[in-house]
Amino acid sequence: MALIEAASPHTMNTYGRLPIALSHGQGVRVWDVNGKEYLDALAGIAVNTLGHNHPKLVPALQDQIGKIIHSCNYYHVPNQERLAATLAELSGLTNAFFCSTGLEANEAAIKLARKYGHDKGIERPEIVVYENAFHGRSIATLSATGNEKVQQGFGPLVEGFIRVPLNDMAALKAATEGRDAIVAVFLETIQGEGGINPMRVDYLQQVRQLCDQRDWLLMIDEVQCGMGRTGKWFAHQWAGIKPDVMPLAKGLGSGVPVGAVVAGPKAANIFQPGNHGTTFGGNPLAMRAGVETIRIMQEDGLLENAAGVGAHLKGALERDLGGLRGVTEIRGQGLMLGIELARNCTALTTRAAEAGLLISVTADNVIRLLPPLVLNRGEADEIVALLVPLVKDFLAS
Ligand SMILES: Cc1ncc(COP(=O)(O)O)c(C=O)c1O
């Protein structure tokens, strides 16, 4: 039996980890090194789209590893072109740049916005960002992030961000009134780390219109809410709009690190040779993972599954927890759901894990469910059966 130490002496102290090490998984179930089984309602934070050990993904990745893992961007990578074409088709956009993580995709988006401004003669471009946003932990992306805890200790922050509240058109207009240096609005369709906070459909449509009127880029961070999680390929598609720039990562490679920034006509040609690059981004293994993840999602109807099973899961949570004192709201779409409690409930992650359920708590008081998109109704019912008594006990304590 392996013993999991509470503290790790040689890795940097960046995470308050649970005393669990996962050893393997199958579908939506994982097992730790001691053989304990868990239902995975977190998917490695919205990453394991296809669950664990998927019978179609694993042989494809094994095949790729046996051929070539990495080449580098000095050469063509055929699956880059294939994945870019697929993402263009699914999004209605045109061109992609590949990287490895969400923050890198957002960093690329911020660079695109700034260069878009510089190309128009704007020397100090400004980007509108949102309260409670999360865009990553590089210096630029943490500056765009709307969470002081993430920023503390890392000043001076990158300048050029203007922050506004969610879903408030008047506030957006007031904050941008008379500012000629604005080049972009940067938002998450559903804020993930910020507490599962959706932008309203009418608000998204109005922001699209405003960006068109003012010649700003609309940049939609779909790193967490994209890739089928809400039941459409990209969550903003529920509003019938298209962004100019769309960062992706997390679920795109179903566990293999893959990030992308996808751009429409207004932003597709901003970068020229020498403006941006990466060693790992777009490598053959990552691209095969992206191509196969999307192929399998299409073959197995995982968008419909996310929408249907997500609605079933949300309905069951509303039925069992909706009216309870201490439950503020149940929100989200598809398999991106949040249960907001009236007080800090971070203790629930440990209690859930003890009960055999992997979840997270974000923004201190929102229980977050991001299961693999292969979840079925029976497994959704199991999540409810494990979670509801824990929440009731917690509220009673
Ligand atoms: C919306 C959003 N953008 C960006 C990121 C950063 O992604 P990464 O951790 O891969 O850098 C995250 C991570 O949680 C995210 O949720």
Side-chain angles (χ1 to χ4, degrees):
M1 286 265 187
L3 179 73
I4 305 303
E5 302 288 349
S8 317
H10 298 297
T11 53
M12 283 197 194
N13 188 21
T14 47
Y15 288 93
R17 298 177 197 271
L18 298 181
I20 295 169
L22 298 178
S23 106
H24 61 286
Q26 186 62 52
V28 299
R29 291 175 208 283
V30 286
W31 286 263
D32 71 16
V33 292
N34 296 320
K36 181 175 163 71
E37 181 180 320
Y38 305 83
L39 195 55
D40 182 4
L42 186 59
I45 325 181
V47 167
N48 297 304
T49 306
L50 304 176
H52 304 272
N53 195 25
H54 193 284
K56 294 180 186 171
L57 182 65
V58 171
L61 294 180
Q62 282 168 337
D63 171 69
Q64 186 61 48
I65 287 168
K67 287 180 173 151
I68 187 163
I69 295 173
H70 179 81
S71 51
C72 94
N73 286 305
Y74 290 170
Y75 315 107
H76 284 276
V77 179
N79 273 332
Q80 265 192 30
E81 195 44 49
R82 200 165 293 144
L83 184 57
T86 304
L87 290 173
E89 190 190 324
L90 301 179
S91 64
L93 304 181
T94 59
N95 292 73
F97 171 86
F98 293 106
C99 52
S100 309
T101 65
L103 82 79
E104 281 176 86
N106 286 333
E107 193 80 28
I110 293 166
K111 283 181 70 175
L112 280 172
R114 283 197 165 188
K115 187 151 187 303
Y116 176 72
H118 282 273
D119 290 349
K120 291 203 287 186
I122 297 172
E123 279 179 20
R124 303 186 76 78
E126 296 177 318
I127 300 172
V128 175
V129 292
Y130 284 78
E131 289 173 4
N132 299 316
F134 185 85
H135 295 298
R137 290 173 179 276
S138 65
I139 293 292
T141 57
L142 74 81
S143 301
T145 287
N147 180 341
E148 280 173 16
K149 272 198 234 161
V150 172
Q151 298 173 335
Q152 227 159 40
F154 299 108
L157 301 182
V158 170
E159 61 182 69
F161 294 109
I162 295 168
R163 200 166 301 285
V164 297
L166 277 73
N167 291 321
D168 185 340
M169 208 53 205
L172 174 58
K173 286 190 172 154
T176 56
E177 185 69 41
R179 297 185 89 121
D180 296 335
I182 291 173
V183 291
V185 175
F186 190 20
L187 57 84
E188 295 154 86
T189 315
I190 303 177
Q191 292 183 334
E193 302 305 301
I196 314 292
N197 307 316
M199 298 280 180
R200 283 195 326 267
V201 162
D202 63 303
Y203 180 78
L204 289 168
Q205 291 165 343
Q206 288 173 39
V207 174
R208 177 66 275 180
Q209 273 177 9
L210 190 68
C211 287
D212 289 340
Q213 284 163 11
R214 309 260 174 107
D215 204 25
W216 300 337
L217 297 177
L218 175 55
M219 310 206 299
I220 304 193
D221 179 348
E222 291 264 347
V223 166
Q224 188 163 149
C225 59
M227 292 314 300
R229 183 146 289 281
T230 66
K232 289 211 187 269
W233 284 105
F234 310 109
H236 65 263
Q237 291 174 329
W238 290 104
I241 59 159
K242 275 191 228 171
D244 300 299
V245 176
M246 177 175 67
L248 297 174
K250 286 195 184 277
L252 179 53
S254 200
V256 176
V258 191
V261 63
V262 191
K266 234 170 151 172
N269 298 308
I270 295 173
F271 283 160
Q272 294 299 316
N275 286 154
H276 200 53
T278 159
T279 299
F280 286 118
N283 88 11
L285 177 61
M287 294 300 95
R288 182 77 183 267
V291 165
E292 298 290 348
T293 296
I294 293 175
R295 179 181 67 83
I296 296 164
M297 289 176 74
Q298 288 172 323
E299 274 179 16
D300 294 0
L302 293 189
L303 295 197
E304 298 75 15
N305 192 65
V309 177
H312 174 80
L313 178 57
K314 192 177 182 191
L317 293 169
E318 278 164 349
R319 179 196 65 211
D320 290 355
L321 295 174
L324 294 186
R325 242 180 94 186
V327 176
T328 309
E329 195 179 17
I330 298 170
R331 54 181 181 254
Q333 193 161 5
L335 291 172
M336 181 172 189
L337 297 175
I339 305 159
E340 181 176 335
L341 302 190
R343 64 185 161 98
N344 184 311
C345 60
T346 45
L348 274 174
T349 44
T350 304
R351 294 192 201 171
E354 283 165 2
L357 177 66
L358 301 184
I359 57 163
S360 85
V361 168
T362 189
D364 292 340
N365 64 338
V366 181
I367 302 163
R368 177 171 54 166
L369 303 178
L370 301 164
L373 305 191
V374 295
L375 187 81
N376 65 34
R377 279 167 199 252
E379 292 157 345
D381 291 338
E382 284 183 58
I383 293 177
V384 176
L386 286 166
L387 186 61
V388 166
L390 288 172
V391 174
K392 287 185 173 168
D393 281 356
F394 178 78
L395 292 173
S397 65

